[in-house]
Amino acid sequence: MAQRNLLPFILLGLIEQSPKTGYDLKKEFETEIGEFWSVKHSQIYSELKRLVASEQIVSETGYFGNKIEKTYYKITNKGKETLETWKYSYDKQLVVNKDEFVLKLYFIKDKNDPRLKDLLNEQLLLHKNKLNHLNERMKKLFSDTKEIDDNYGHYLILDHAIRRENEYASWLEEAIGFLAK
């Protein structure tokens, strides 16, 4: 089954928060959204054109406080309706996780395969680095309960990511320990 294109909804949600430029949106994917969703820079601009064409957002180009011409995107009522409909729809299927590391493991048949130890150790390093990053983000963004209350969904996503990375790192450490026996 083909996966649904969720990029328009992400862009509508980000633009609904405040008018943004394509560059602003790209930065969101490099920081907050990038913790759980990735997209290519070119996809953002293609989707913005489609959203303008479908009248879900409007664009305004001009000089805003500096000498650089910028194009800001704002959500329309039609865009708000689309976003609200999506927010209250529920998917009845789990999304398949495409994980190249897991795919490589699938094709390793022998626990003595020389690639296995390096593969597991490299993944452990990556997941521990990711865990450290997520913990730093949690401290920076949610150091008190008011910040949690003001953006509870984001807090839950970050908490979930930290738990996921903890579990993944523990599983890798266990697998590495099993190889040592």
Side-chain angles (χ1 to χ4, degrees):
M1 174 188 270
Q3 284 188 341
R4 185 174 172 187
N5 180 14
L6 298 175
L7 183 56
F9 304 111
I10 298 169
L11 295 175
L12 288 171
L14 291 171
I15 294 167
E16 182 185 44
Q17 293 172 355
S18 66
K20 291 185 175 50
T21 65
Y23 179 79
D24 296 334
L25 293 163
K26 176 183 161 288
K27 294 309 263 180
E28 290 277 351
F29 280 96
E30 291 173 0
T31 56
E32 305 309 324
I33 300 293
E35 297 295 345
F36 57 91
W37 201 270
S38 66
V39 67
K40 293 179 181 157
H41 182 77
S42 60
Q43 290 174 286
I44 294 171
Y45 287 98
S46 297
E47 196 59 51
L48 288 170
K49 287 179 186 175
R50 282 192 281 279
L51 290 169
V52 168
S54 66
E55 300 178 343
Q56 295 184 68
I57 61 173
V58 293
S59 64
E60 181 182 346
T61 302
Y63 297 95
F64 299 94
N66 54 34
K67 296 180 181 184
I68 299 172
E69 186 177 65
K70 293 182 180 184
T71 300
Y72 278 89
Y73 297 92
K74 296 179 185 177
I75 195 166
T76 63
N77 286 335
K78 183 177 180 181
K80 288 178 183 179
E81 289 173 16
T82 299
L83 183 60
E84 285 304 304
T85 299
W86 172 74
K87 282 181 186 177
Y88 290 98
S89 66
Y90 299 96
D91 205 351
K92 296 190 191 299
Q93 293 183 333
L94 290 174
V95 177
V96 174
N97 182 16
K98 296 179 181 179
D99 186 334
E100 186 177 353
F101 163 69
V102 171
L103 185 60
K104 286 178 181 179
L105 281 181
Y106 178 79
F107 290 109
I108 293 177
K109 301 300 180 195
D110 182 353
K111 80 172 193 169
N112 296 313
D113 188 309
R115 299 169 294 170
L116 188 55
K117 186 176 180 183
D118 288 341
L119 190 61
L120 291 170
N121 280 313
E122 179 64 27
Q123 283 297 304
L124 179 59
L125 179 63
L126 290 170
H127 285 278
K128 282 188 171 184
N129 287 339
K130 178 76 170 187
L131 182 57
N132 288 336
H133 168 76
L134 292 169
N135 280 320
E136 288 300 315
R137 296 293 301 154
M138 182 65 88
K139 285 180 199 169
K140 181 179 179 181
L141 297 174
F142 300 108
S143 59
D144 68 43
T145 54
K146 181 182 178 348
E147 292 162 343
I148 294 171
D149 291 342
D150 289 347
N151 206 345
Y152 193 63
H154 188 174
Y155 168 78
L156 287 175
I157 291 166
L158 198 48
D159 181 60
H160 172 261
I162 290 168
R163 291 172 189 236
R164 179 194 64 226
E165 292 304 320
N166 267 320
E167 179 57 34
Y168 212 127
S170 293
W171 173 73
L172 287 164
E173 287 168 342
E174 187 177 311
I176 291 166
F178 181 74
L179 286 178
K181 292 180 183 176

